[in-house]
Amino acid sequence: MNYHSMSAAELGVTRDELTDLYEKLRAAGLSLDLTRGKPAPDQLDLSTPILSLPGDDFRDPDGTDCRNYGGLTGLPGLRRIFGELLAVPADQLVAANNSSLEIMYDLTVAALLHGTPDSDGPWSRQTVKFLCPSPGYDRHFAICEKLGIEMVMVDMLPTGPDVEQCAALTAADDSIKGMWLVPMYSNPTGATVTEDVLRSLLTMPAAPDFRIYWDNAYAVHTLTGEFHEPLPILQWAAEAGNPNRPYVFGSTSKITFAGAGVAFLGASADNVAWHQQNQSVSTIGPDKLNQLRHLQFFGDADGVRAHMLKHQELLAPKFALVARILDERLSASKVASWTDPDGGYFVSLDVLDGTAARVIELAKDAGIALTAAGSAFPYKQDPNDRNIRIAPTFPSLSDLETAIDGVATCVLLAAADSLLA
Ligand code: PLP
């Protein structure tokens, strides 16, 4: 029943029932975790054959001996495969080591220390701000926090960031130097940036050294079995006269092994040259043997897509389960809404304003770990205390069922308490 149309007496009865239910939940002594946006062991099993590669076959198709130093831009064959999947020309895509997040951090540090090719000097000599579409990815925001970059929140809509807010801010303030963005099946709302939104972001007036961190971490992570063409951001940026504005990121962390895959950076020729120059001081070359393993394992872009369909088979039932339980338990009450994404790793649950922290606390006391309140917002401050990020991939189906059902009880109890207060 709709909690907003209940009388205080009805709501009181409902709260008593929910309190009983919650006490039973607590008595069950659960220890479940919905915080981890990690692949489950059965997903990792899909890539076990990689561990036996490359064996004696240590040369790439161009004849490079991958056991030795060098090749800072990475193996051309692998760059071609992921160039196709990320819509980046292979000669503008760098295949690097195991973490795209590390590349994002390094690029930001390099800009702070030296300035970008379009900067007057190091960013660190002035106030630097980044636009943070929210809810967003907590580790993006952590980079800003660590490096002293001021975060400016903008709304993440189902079509991508609110471009009117973005354009008004960048036009008025040259100290806005960057913007985080997960363009497909975003973390955590599952939103995918539309063509119109991207074109606006590429044409809006902004500082010459303004950069869009286009973190396409979930480009091929379909939950429906359909693959969407990635938007050709670098081409459109060049056509818009702002070729250096985007950095494109991707990695195989959630394709093969999390933390032991290959990460990619795509950018304009000038940005790639600048990055390579910085990198050449810190490394003599990436782990080409790991790149070769991935190249041999996939063969081509269709090999990656076929592999992702196997992930989809394992993950789609988990997301369907979450959608079903939330619908059954929460729909009628009208105190929560949630996403049902077509891809990616998360479900974003919005509860009654002012109750998210309490829901997380109740769940914790019942042995269900949820991501800390406010995690998806700059400075961990959810202005409405409303959003909870749910990561359904890692737990087994039966653990997931128990955990989501328990969370639903906490959502309802916190809402009833709040409405009665
Ligand atoms: N970007 C997004 C949006 C993510 O969700 C994650 C991991 O959860 C990463 C980047 C981390 O990627 P990597 O393992 O390549 O550093």
Side-chain angles (χ1 to χ4, degrees):
M1 202 174 155
N2 183 341
Y3 282 22
H4 301 282
S5 46
M6 280 187 187
S7 67
E10 287 169 328
L11 207 49
V13 172
T14 301
R15 178 172 63 181
D16 291 346
E17 288 165 4
L18 286 164
T19 305
D20 284 350
L21 206 56
Y22 178 71
E23 286 312 324
K24 283 190 192 124
L25 184 71
R26 249 171 36 133
L30 301 175
S31 176
L32 300 170
D33 192 339
L34 289 174
T35 65
R36 293 172 294 186
K38 298 203 294 191
D42 57 359
Q43 291 178 265
L44 300 173
D45 288 344
L46 298 171
S47 299
T48 300
I50 284 197
L51 296 175
S52 334
L53 295 170
D56 291 343
D57 192 7
F58 48 75
R59 288 185 192 278
D60 85 339
D62 297 302
T64 301
D65 184 342
C66 294
R67 300 171 306 175
N68 220 330
Y69 271 146
L72 200 56
T73 47
L75 299 187
L78 195 65
R79 292 161 65 200
R80 274 193 294 277
I81 295 177
F82 281 87
E84 183 179 329
L85 298 168
L86 295 167
V88 175
D91 60 351
Q92 286 174 240
L93 189 74
V94 177
N97 283 319
N98 68 325
S99 166
S100 59
L101 194 67
E102 183 177 55
I103 305 175
M104 298 174 217
Y105 180 83
D106 285 349
L107 285 166
T108 312
V109 169
L112 285 163
L113 286 174
H114 312 297
T116 75
D118 301 299
S119 305
D120 288 338
W123 282 359
S124 56
R125 292 207 188 125
Q126 57 177 109
T127 299
V128 178
K129 302 177 192 164
F130 272 31
L131 299 182
C132 299
S134 302
Y137 179 36
D138 52 348
R139 289 179 185 271
H140 288 160
F141 303 158
I143 289 179
C144 281
E145 210 162 344
K146 184 76 181 169
L147 297 178
I149 294 172
E150 212 176 288
M151 290 182 266
V152 181
M153 191 176 125
V154 292
D155 293 325
M156 188 69 174
L157 308 174
T159 50
D162 183 326
V163 281
E164 278 174 28
Q165 279 179 8
C166 295
L169 287 160
T170 55
D173 189 351
D174 257 12
S175 64
I176 297 178
K177 300 296 190 194
M179 168 173 194
W180 299 109
L181 191 48
V182 184
M184 280 184 78
Y185 313 133
S186 78
N187 178 349
T189 67
T192 293
V193 173
T194 62
E195 293 191 19
D196 286 349
V197 166
L198 175 56
R199 287 199 191 273
S200 303
L201 294 175
L202 293 172
T203 50
M204 66 189 188
D209 51 354
F210 173 69
R211 297 290 182 263
I212 297 173
Y213 288 59
W214 184 259
D215 179 2
N216 214 345
Y218 300 106
V220 289
H221 299 61
T222 177
L223 287 167
T224 62
E226 261 183 78
F227 292 96
H228 296 287
E229 280 296 306
L231 298 179
I233 181 172
L234 292 178
Q235 183 196 321
W236 290 1
E239 287 165 8
N242 293 312
N244 294 347
R245 188 172 285 189
Y247 296 139
V248 178
F249 305 95
S251 82
T252 71
S253 280
K254 289 168 182 172
I255 298 177
T256 55
F257 297 133
V262 180
F264 300 91
L265 166 68
S268 67
D270 281 354
N271 278 342
V272 168
W274 174 73
H275 173 66
Q276 292 291 98
Q277 198 194 357
N278 295 328
Q279 283 302 102
S280 66
V281 179
S282 72
T283 176
I284 309 172
D287 179 349
K288 294 190 297 301
L289 285 171
N290 196 34
Q291 295 186 2
L292 182 59
R293 267 180 212 122
H294 282 76
L295 177 57
Q296 292 173 348
F297 181 63
F298 291 127
D300 55 24
D302 276 340
V304 179
R305 292 187 190 101
H307 184 75
M308 292 315 290
L309 289 177
K310 296 181 194 160
H311 281 279
Q312 184 247 339
E313 268 176 39
L314 297 171
L315 289 182
K318 293 187 176 176
F319 281 80
L321 180 75
V322 174
R324 179 177 64 73
I325 297 172
L326 292 180
D327 185 42
E328 282 172 9
R329 296 284 323 276
L330 299 180
S331 275
S333 65
K334 306 285 181 223
V335 292
S337 60
W338 54 93
T339 56
D340 187 7
D342 288 341
Y345 260 57
F346 300 100
V347 171
S348 182
L349 171 65
D350 280 343
V351 297
L352 190 69
D353 281 11
T355 64
R358 167 112 169 99
V359 171
I360 291 165
E361 194 61 33
L362 284 168
K364 185 174 167 217
D365 286 347
I368 304 168
L370 289 168
T371 311
S375 289
F377 294 82
Y379 308 105
K380 299 188 174 60
Q381 297 291 324
D382 175 352
N384 302 298
D385 186 21
R386 169 197 295 168
N387 185 256
I388 297 175
R389 187 187 83 168
I390 293 178
T393 59
F394 192 79
S396 67
L397 271 170
S398 73
D399 280 355
L400 188 61
E401 182 164 14
T402 312
I404 298 293
D405 194 60
V407 170
T409 299
C410 299
V411 169
L412 294 173
L413 179 55
D417 272 345
S418 163
L419 290 169
L420 281 165

